[in-house]
Amino acid sequence: SNLADLMRTSQAMSHFVTDLGDIAGDIAHPTRKRFDVLRPGGRSVDVLMSGDPNGRPIIFMNGAFLFSFEAAIERCFAQAGLCVLAISRPGFGRTSSAPDEEDLADVIADDTTAVLAQIGTSTAPILVHSTGVPMAFRAGRNFNGVVERLVIIGGMAPPDIMRAAGPGLPMSAALLTAASTSKRLLRLLISGRHRMYLRLGAERFLARQYANCVPDRGQVARPEFIAEYDTAVTTLTAQGFDPGTEEIIFSQTQWGRSVPTFPGPVRILHGTEDPLCPIAAMELFAQRYPDKITLTPLPGAGHITLPVRTKTIIDALNSP
């Protein structure tokens, strides 16, 4: 009827269009909930909950490119009675950085314990992926009495084992070589990887990275996978590239020395066709620590195992 009404209507429609993606996401993920846990000194810890809110808690230590889960996987968690808590480590997502005077491993363990206390429990299994693996072992000395066991999917082996087995991709070989040469060179490689991702976009970047792995090639082409991958990258870089870069640098150092002191059994579920960490490396890893690690090969699976072996992984989380 007048220009003021037209302006109000235009603004209302613009907000609706802007929020439409979030609304669609909420509908597709009805059990997903994000919250913060307050910590001493004004810090906060960013937590993403999915599955059954009243179910058995499972801590998820995300890797560089997996933080949240597809709706179908979240439904499987809910049906299995699992409440999966993805905890952003210091400097990722909305989680505050670690205080300068404190060791990162201590902060990760304390944050995890605080999240469990927030939901009314003191122990839980930990599911880890990719670069979350070395970080879990790094914090392991502080997890005594907290971690029931460690379940690794799409994981990695210590660098010396990777060298002995032979890395599966040229990029993996480049990271290992740079790690043994200089941290400056390693930073240069990682920053170049980030720039390539931003330039190509998630879909083209994934297609290039997994072009030589048939099982993974089909997975990374799915819109559902691309969306969650992009969410993981957004979480990883929310406070800049430094936290993720430092974590990847640590993953290429000799973190294997902390494996024997991890307070609990470790089970690895690993695709036999994984192009990033060959199954041969995981076999050597398990052979080096036979009293600590149990390896379950997943025939025909690549690096991306959760969407194609969901039941097997859930069974591993539920088994004593």
Side-chain angles (χ1 to χ4, degrees), residues 39-61:
R39 303 288 291 125
R43 292 185 64 250
S44 64
V45 180
D46 180 15
V47 184
L48 183 70
M49 175 190 291
S50 58
D52 181 358
N54 300 311
R56 183 186 184 194
I58 304 291
I59 297 297
F60 178 55
M61 293 190 69

Side-chain angles (χ1 to χ4, degrees), residues 1 3 34 36 38 60 81 128 130 144 168 178 189 227 244 256:
S1 59
L3 289 177
R34 200 157 190 166
D36 295 315
L38 294 179
F60 178 55
V128 291
S130 186
N144 199 21
L189 276 173

